[in-house]
């Protein structure tokens, strides 16, 4: 969330007075952009704690299986990549859902599943459960955040 805020504040602080007026007139005074940006940041980064709490029991079990030697080290890499993949997933999902394209959002989830399928084929049921619970929680968070954002903007939630 800090990175998102800094990515907005740094260009504004470096802008010349004329550019600052354009930014102010175009972005800051338009409450819609602020609402959308806030919803996006909350969806992508703010809800990571919620998703982390939901998958934590599965992650602890998987890490225990890695330590005991039952699971390969590649499973740990799969688990470590999860939050980063989730950020990208929620960014794209939120963008499609706020813009009113739920069919495109469904394609994102399908593409993610196809991209991770080879790794899931080699993994145990526990890793598959982690993937499924994490993905569904991530999709739910993006859906709720985009619905709330659309409602604040005066549109129907879906």
């Amino acid at each position: 969330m800090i990175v998102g805020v800094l990515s907005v504040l740094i260009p504004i602080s470096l802008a010349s007075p004329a550019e600052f007026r354009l930014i102010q007139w175009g972005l800051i005074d338009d409450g819609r952009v602020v609402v959308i940006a806030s919803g996006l940041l909350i969806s992508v980064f703010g809800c990571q704690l919620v998703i982390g709490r939901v998958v934590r029991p599965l992650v602890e079990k998987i890490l225990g299986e890695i330590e005991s030697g039952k699971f390969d080290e590649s499973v740990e890499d799969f688990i470590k990549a999860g939050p980063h993949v989730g950020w990208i997933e929620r960014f794209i999902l939120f963008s499609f859902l706020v813009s009113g394209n739920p069919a495109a959002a469904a394609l994102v989830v399908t593409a993610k599943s196809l991209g991770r399928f080879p790794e899931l084929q080699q993994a145990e049921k526990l890793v598959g459960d982690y993937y499924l619970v994490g993905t569904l929680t991530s999709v739910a968070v993006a859906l709720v955040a985009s619905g709330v954002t659309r409602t604040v903007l005066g549109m129907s939630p879906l």
Side-chain angles (χ1 to χ4, degrees), residues 23 25 38 97 126 146:
I23 291 170
W25 292 335
S38 298
L97 291 169
L126 185 60
S146 64

Side-chain angles (χ1 to χ4, degrees), residues 9-25:
L9 293 179
I10 289 174
I12 290 173
S13 66
L14 297 175
S16 69
E19 291 168 330
F20 181 74
R21 280 193 296 277
L22 290 174
I23 291 170
Q24 182 182 15
W25 292 335

Side-chain angles (χ1 to χ4, degrees), residues 100-133:
N101 294 309
L107 288 175
V108 171
V109 177
T110 303
K112 177 187 174 192
S113 297
L114 290 174
R116 302 284 264 178
F117 184 72
E119 295 166 322
L120 286 172
Q121 251 184 335
Q122 298 172 3
E124 298 283 330
K125 180 185 178 308
L126 185 60
V127 179
D129 290 346
Y130 161 79
Y131 175 81
L132 184 61
V133 169

Side-chain angles (χ1 to χ4, degrees), residues 66-121:
I66 292 170
E67 287 178 14
S68 71
K70 184 176 178 186
F71 287 169
D72 194 36
E73 291 291 323
S74 64
V75 173
E76 186 173 8
D77 295 337
F78 181 84
I79 300 300
K80 286 181 180 178
H84 304 289
V85 172
W87 292 341
I88 296 166
E89 174 187 34
R90 285 189 302 281
F91 176 84
I92 295 170
L93 284 174
F94 180 89
S95 300
F96 282 139
L97 291 169
V98 163
S99 68
N101 294 309
L107 288 175
V108 171
V109 177
T110 303
K112 177 187 174 192
S113 297
L114 290 174
R116 302 284 264 178
F117 184 72
E119 295 166 322
L120 286 172
Q121 251 184 335

